[in-house]
Amino acid sequence: MATKAQVYPSVIEALGRLDGEGLFGRYREGLLNAVLFITAPDADDTETMEDRSARLLNRPEVCRIY
């Protein structure tokens, strides 16, 4: 069975690849674009997971607004 340490990086990588392939299209343009991040509401580290994944998946200026 996969652990959080294995699953989270894989999900972040998959979202990054999908974004790179243009899946989210125009919703990723400009400063007020869609913010990508992963979450698991029932996890002990939800906020840390969201913040870390947002920093990895979005431009710095978008993260400052988020």
Side-chain angles (χ1 to χ4, degrees), residues 16-27:
R17 284 185 180 186
L18 291 171
D19 187 34
E21 291 174 5
L23 178 69
F24 304 107
R26 65 186 174 93
Y27 299 107

Side-chain angles (χ1 to χ4, degrees), residues 4-63:
K4 287 192 305 186
Q6 296 167 315
V7 172
Y8 294 171
S10 296
V11 172
I12 291 169
E13 180 182 346
L15 274 175
R17 284 185 180 186
L18 291 171
D19 187 34
E21 291 174 5
L23 178 69
F24 304 107
R26 65 186 174 93
Y27 299 107
R28 296 287 289 157
E29 298 171 4
L31 274 183
L32 298 177
N33 65 3
V35 177
L36 297 181
F37 63 94
I38 63 170
T39 189
D42 60 342
D44 294 335
D45 60 346
T46 299
E47 189 172 338
T48 300
M49 175 192 344
E50 291 173 352
D51 291 345
R52 181 172 181 272
S53 63
R55 283 193 307 275
L56 292 169
L57 292 167
N58 300 281
R59 296 187 325 267
E61 58 271 18
V62 173
C63 288

